[in-house]
Amino acid sequence: MTATSTNSKLTRRRYRGLVYGIAGLAILGLLAGFVLNRHFVGALIYLLGVWIAGGITVLAPMWSETTLQDERDWELHNRASGILVGITMVIGLSILPAIYVLDAGNYIEITGIASGVILTLSALFLLYGVCFGIAKQRI
């Protein structure tokens, strides 16, 4: 019988608290930068925070002897991703054609912001399709 070392100080709860705490502080730093009119400092705090949180997310499971992520996490991730893409797709497909028709009839004008949102959502779905195809090929 072999003994395994389970005295790792990084537990699932501590891992999640650390990652979400750093990401939350990063978001608060970004918002504080906007409020205090220090946009560059806010953006810098945000970028550092999310890179640190992302680094911990990637590296901690490799270094820890404790199981920090398991099948439940992947199942929740897959379900949440599917719900997000589905909701965005339904909203996009039901609203975007009407927006273009109203714009063509000169009832509304698609502004730069709206155009940016449309392009971003289109790029998101294109990227999702590519990622889905890659994942499907690997199964």
Side-chain angles (χ1 to χ4, degrees), residues 1 14 22 24 26 31 34-35 41-42 44 49 62 66 73 87 92 101 106-107 118 120:
M1 182 179 249
R14 189 171 289 155
I22 292 172
L31 295 175
F34 281 124
V35 169
V41 173
L44 185 64
M62 290 183 212
T66 307
D73 297 310
I87 289 172
V101 168
N106 292 323
Y107 292 103
I118 292 168
T120 300

Side-chain angles (χ1 to χ4, degrees), residues 2-120:
T2 60
T4 58
S5 173
T6 58
N7 53 354
S8 175
K9 295 187 185 276
L10 189 62
T11 62
R12 277 176 67 98
R13 176 179 244 165
R14 189 171 289 155
Y15 165 73
R16 286 176 187 236
L18 184 65
V19 170
Y20 291 135
I22 292 172
L25 288 174
I27 292 168
L28 289 176
L30 179 66
L31 295 175
F34 281 124
V35 169
L36 300 173
N37 203 24
R38 302 280 187 223
H39 299 95
F40 180 76
V41 173
L44 185 64
I45 291 170
Y46 175 77
L47 289 172
L48 285 172
V50 296
W51 275 98
I52 291 169
I56 292 170
T57 301
V58 171
L59 297 175
M62 290 183 212
W63 291 339
S64 177
E65 296 173 2
T66 307
T67 301
L68 301 175
Q69 297 173 341
D70 60 14
E71 299 83 24
R72 296 171 293 176
D73 297 310
W74 288 107
E75 184 179 331
L76 286 172
H77 169 75
N78 288 339
R79 287 182 58 206
S81 297
I83 291 169
L84 171 72
V85 169
I87 289 172
T88 308
M89 181 185 66
V90 167
I91 291 172
L93 289 176
S94 60
I95 292 175
L96 291 179
I99 288 175
Y100 280 116
V101 168
L102 292 173
D103 181 54
N106 292 323
Y107 292 103
I108 64 168
E109 181 181 348
I110 298 177
T111 63
I113 293 173
S115 179
V117 168
I118 292 168
L119 287 173
T120 300

Side-chain angles (χ1 to χ4, degrees), residues 125-139:
F125 281 107
L126 181 62
L127 181 60
Y128 175 79
V130 169
C131 292
F132 188 82
I134 291 170
K136 191 173 179 181
Q137 290 297 322
R138 291 188 177 185
I139 292 180

